[in-house]
Amino acid sequence: MADSTASSQVPAQPAADRPVYVVGGGPAGLSVAYALRARGIRAVVLEKSDGVGAAWRRHYDRLRLHTTRHLSALPGLPMPRRFGRWVARADVVRYLEKYAEVHELEIVNGVEVSRVERSPDGTGWLLHATGGRELTGAAVVVATGCNHTPYVPKWAGLDTYTGEFTHAGDYRNAEPYAGRDVLVVGVGNTGAEIAVDLVEGGASRVRLSVRTAPHIVRRSTAGWAAQYTGVLVRRLPTGLVDRLARPMAKLSVPDLSAQGLPRPDTGLYSRVKEGAIPVQDVGLIDAVRTGRVEVVAAVDGFEDGKVVLADGTRVSPEAVIAATGYVRALEGLVGHLDVLDGRGRPLAHGARTFEQAPGLYFTGFTTPISGTLREVAMDAEKIARVVVKKGAGTLSRLPG
């Protein structure tokens, strides 16, 4: 019963008949729910918004997958060919809606889980949720994603800054910025694409504030998608991939040092392992090379209505867009279970669980070089197999 709110009151279940609760109705959560349902296990997706794919719904309009349609489909349902090779944001949302409908996933909308803890009898998990609900499950899969809560650095003077300031999570398109001077802060994929969008949308001046020069790769070269290379090198030693990437970058990406974007002095895959995915070029290279996007130093703070850059320069853009990323915000949910590292990331991922928290799983919290959607689809099957194997006798099974 996809996207249903009628079953928002989910009663506690006896120890021998408990569902698996999946927290989050994005691609990762839906994949796990399908994989469990395909094995006859009742999985209940708890989604705080009023529809699946909430993160995708709020992304900027021009966004397209940087992974191919074929390698981005979730288990059990191909993406339609009419979506093209690089699927648009709106089509991803349509696909997720169809996915929930086709697989008859049990989704409860408008329910936000605030805390997960062991059930009093020690045989399962107790979830505290919206409206005072207390839900007991045989296992819990946390799939709230990397893009949970917008992150803004604690810049000095930002609290008194009177200029227009927006996080990239609230950016939709360039229309409000036509004819205006805009500073984009951050050169991940989001910041790079917003900068290009602003240029193409008629902003009078676009500056891109960069703290650390990114690795830039072509999304596709002669028909060969960058993702294909990512899949091939996924399991290779980090140092080897770093060495292989250097000459490839010199062949495919021009030196932009004179424009303020020098080649990084750290390896591409080493950066991926630290969580920094390469920037896939959707126009940034040409925009920087032609001066339509001006690269400037990192933001150091705000003072007297101006933006202070790390090199001492002060600039006065009409609008600032902070493409400074998101935080997972898992501390309140599971921080008390000793399952997060010092940066708030799950210590185990996919089918791996914890000795101190058996039956608690995480998916969708990594940014693999081979593509996030591909990896969450693979994780879903692995998680489902382990849940079924370890939960025999306690799992709620579907009729039939």
Side-chain angles (χ1 to χ4, degrees), residues 109-130:
N109 290 310
V111 174
E112 182 174 8
V113 179
S114 57
R115 184 178 174 89
V116 175
E117 59 188 31
R118 294 294 285 168
S119 60
D121 63 7
T123 62
W125 290 94
L126 179 65
L127 290 77
H128 299 270
T130 306

Side-chain angles (χ1 to χ4, degrees), residues 23 33 50 59 103 122 133 138 143 205 212 241-242 266 312 327 331 378:
V23 185
D50 59 2
H59 283 315
H103 294 311
R133 295 176 179 83
R205 185 177 188 179
T212 303
V241 179
D242 284 347
T266 54
V327 292
E331 289 79 3
M378 295 168 63

Side-chain angles (χ1 to χ4, degrees), residues 82-308:
R82 68 178 183 275
F83 285 177
R85 192 182 196 196
W86 311 107
V87 182
R89 177 199 64 82
D91 285 333
V92 173
V93 173
R94 293 186 186 98
Y95 172 74
L96 295 178
E97 291 173 338
K98 189 68 174 179
Y99 190 85
E101 176 186 346
V102 167
H103 294 311
E104 300 180 320
L105 302 183
E106 187 173 352
I107 301 171
V108 185
N109 290 310
V111 174
E112 182 174 8
V113 179
S114 57
R115 184 178 174 89
V116 175
E117 59 188 31
R118 294 294 285 168
S119 60
D121 63 7
T123 62
W125 290 94
L126 179 65
L127 290 77
H128 299 270
T130 306
R133 295 176 179 83
E134 293 188 348
L135 313 174
T136 306
V140 174
V141 182
V142 179
T144 49
C146 292
N147 295 340
H148 186 275
T149 302
Y151 168 74
V152 176
K154 294 181 179 179
W155 286 308
L158 178 58
D159 55 341
T160 59
Y161 180 63
T162 56
E164 182 177 332
F165 183 91
T166 305
H167 187 273
D170 294 318
Y171 177 89
R172 293 295 172 267
N173 55 59
E175 184 177 350
Y177 302 94
R180 304 176 68 192
D181 180 340
V182 187
L183 173 68
V184 180
V185 185
V187 70
N189 277 292
T190 296
E193 190 155 4
I194 287 177
V196 172
D197 195 42
L198 289 166
V199 167
E200 295 177 354
S204 63
R205 185 177 188 179
V206 178
R207 282 173 284 199
L208 182 59
S209 171
V210 176
R211 182 172 299 278
T212 303
H215 286 275
I216 303 175
V217 299
R218 301 285 188 181
R219 186 168 64 177
S220 178
T221 303
W224 179 266
Q227 184 187 14
Y228 298 162
T229 303
V231 171
L232 291 176
V233 305
R234 178 80 165 91
R235 303 296 180 186
L236 294 180
T238 301
L240 174 60
V241 179
D242 284 347
R243 290 193 295 274
L244 292 172
R246 289 190 189 101
M248 294 301 297
K250 291 182 179 179
L251 285 172
S252 61
V253 178
D255 185 1
L256 299 173
S257 299
Q259 289 79 27
L261 276 183
R263 297 189 189 279
D265 54 9
T266 54
L268 183 149
Y269 205 21
S270 294
R271 292 275 289 274
V272 170
K273 292 291 189 178
E274 296 171 358
I277 289 294
V279 171
Q280 297 220 9
D281 178 48
V282 291
L284 180 68
I285 292 174
D286 287 342
V288 170
R289 188 164 50 183
T290 59
R292 292 178 297 159
V293 169
E294 305 169 45
V295 178
V296 298
V299 170
D300 197 43
F302 295 77
E303 187 175 317
D304 298 330
K306 296 184 178 182
V307 183
V308 182

Side-chain angles (χ1 to χ4, degrees), residues 69 73-81 95:
R69 180 191 74 252
L74 304 183
L77 186 68
M79 284 189 171
R81 290 178 62 87
Y95 172 74

